[in-house]
């Protein structure tokens, strides 16, 4: 069964509004989670590394004020896309290391964001 | 040079054939290697992990690692149409926790 869960699976929002995506680790504690974005027919792009209890580490070129990441507990990380624009429409995926599975990274189901 | 390189494909094989997917990486100190499968519109799912030189088999899948050549491959035996997907090679460098992904190889298995 799934070990990393994301919600919502898809969301449509109006341009200029904010939308929050949740990533939960199921039955294990995740001190570190990773957020990716993927445009159609393109590869995964790492946006940021989410660290429990501390600030996220953003990849070069990713606007930290636009993509707010909060990792307030050992089982939950959230990504908030602020002041969303149509170009933010994408597939957002989180992942986490699962130590009971050989310290392997597992992905959540992903969240499709459409900004209209 | 990209850190992790894969042929983007598409790689087309007939049903029942062996599909061979290849990946090279640049950081010689890397120790952990993974293959993920991603169906269109879905998130990646882990197929295999490999840490030591040689072959590792799991059902129809075999991962092969050659650290001296900085090369990792995935063989899919008796390919099925349901194997049609994009296969992502991922490498964990010696420093840091994030995985480095290749651009993925699109595999098409024709009935």
């Amino acid at each position: 069964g799934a070990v990393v869960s994301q919600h919502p699976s898809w969301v449509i929002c109006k341009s200029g509004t904010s939308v929050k995506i949740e990533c939960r680790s199921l039955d294990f504690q995740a001190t570190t989670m990773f957020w990716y974005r993927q445009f159609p027919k393109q590869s995964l792009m790492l946006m940021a590394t989410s660290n429990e209890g501390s600030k996220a580490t953003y990849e070069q070129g990713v606007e930290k004020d636009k993509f707010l990441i909060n990792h307030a507990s050992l089982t939950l990380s959230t990504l908030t896309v602020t002041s969303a624009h149509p170009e933010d429409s994408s597939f957002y995926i989180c992942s986490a290391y699962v130590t009971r599975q050989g310290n392997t990274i597992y992905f959540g189901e992903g969240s499709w964001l459409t900004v209209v | 040079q990209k850190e992790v390189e894969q042929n983007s494909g598409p790689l087309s094989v007939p049903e029942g054939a062996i599909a061979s997917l290849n990946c090279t990486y640049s950081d010689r100190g890397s120790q952990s290697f993974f293959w993920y499968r991603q169906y269109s519109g879905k998130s990646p799912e882990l197929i295999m992990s490999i840490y030591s030189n040689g072959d590792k088999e799991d059902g129809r899948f075999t991962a092969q690692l050659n650290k001296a050549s900085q090369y990792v491959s995935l063989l899919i035996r008796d390919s099925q149409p349901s194997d049609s997907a994009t296969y992502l090679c991922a490498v964990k460098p010696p420093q840091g926790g994030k995985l480095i992904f290749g651009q993925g190889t699109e595999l098409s298995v024709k009935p």
Side-chain angles (χ1 to χ4, degrees):
Chain A
V3 294
V4 180
S5 179
Q6 265 184 261
H7 177 82
S9 300
W10 56 270
V11 57
I12 300 173
C13 71
K14 290 184 177 180
S15 186
T17 63
S18 296
V19 60
K20 181 185 289 186
I21 300 170
E22 293 185 347
C23 180
R24 293 184 182 275
S25 58
L26 306 179
D27 300 324
F28 73 98
Q29 295 178 337
T31 55
T32 302
M33 291 184 175
F34 303 92
W35 286 96
Y36 293 84
R37 179 169 58 181
Q38 188 177 38
F39 293 107
K41 297 291 186 179
Q42 295 188 23
S43 186
L44 294 168
M45 188 196 82
L46 179 64
M47 300 176 67
T49 301
S50 172
N51 304 297
E52 188 271 334
S54 64
K55 292 182 179 180
T57 303
Y58 289 82
E59 295 299 304
Q60 191 173 12
V62 178
E63 301 175 64
K64 61 181 180 181
D65 294 330
K66 180 170 182 62
F67 299 100
L68 300 179
I69 291 173
N70 185 287
H71 196 152
S73 78
L74 287 170
T75 60
L76 174 64
S77 175
T78 60
L79 167 68
T80 302
V81 183
T82 63
S83 186
H85 291 281
E87 56 265 32
D88 298 324
S89 299
S90 187
F91 190 42
Y92 292 87
I93 320 171
C94 72
S95 68
Y97 274 105
V98 183
T99 53
R100 70 170 187 265
Q101 303 278 7
N103 210 28
T104 302
I105 282 187
Y106 283 82
F107 286 87
E109 304 94 330
S111 300
W112 282 100
L113 169 64
T114 301
V115 184
V116 298
Chain B
Q1 181 190 7
K2 292 181 179 178
E3 294 179 87
V4 179
E5 290 202 62
Q6 298 178 250
N7 291 326
S8 60
L11 172 66
S12 183
V13 300
E15 184 174 358
I18 295 176
S20 178
L21 305 162
N22 305 313
C23 174
T24 58
Y25 59 95
S26 60
D27 193 329
R28 185 172 290 276
S30 299
Q31 297 293 324
S32 305
F33 308 86
F34 308 88
W35 283 99
Y36 290 85
R37 176 176 63 197
Q38 186 176 25
Y39 291 112
S40 181
K42 302 292 185 181
S43 70
E45 57 180 319
L46 180 69
I47 299 176
M48 296 277 287
S49 59
I50 187 166
Y51 307 97
S52 305
N53 278 329
D55 295 358
K56 179 181 178 182
E57 187 174 319
D58 183 0
R60 296 187 295 112
F61 299 97
T62 299
Q64 299 174 319
L65 175 61
N66 184 325
K67 292 183 179 180
S69 300
Q70 295 174 239
Y71 177 91
V72 58
S73 66
L74 180 70
L75 300 178
I76 307 175
R77 291 182 300 280
D78 188 24
S79 295
Q80 302 297 309
S82 58
D83 295 326
S84 297
T86 296
Y87 288 80
L88 299 167
C89 171
V91 176
K92 185 175 180 299
Q95 303 298 327
K98 60 186 179 183
L99 290 183
I100 309 298
F101 283 88
Q103 68 269 38
T105 298
E106 183 182 351
L107 173 66
S108 177
V109 181
K110 303 295 186 183

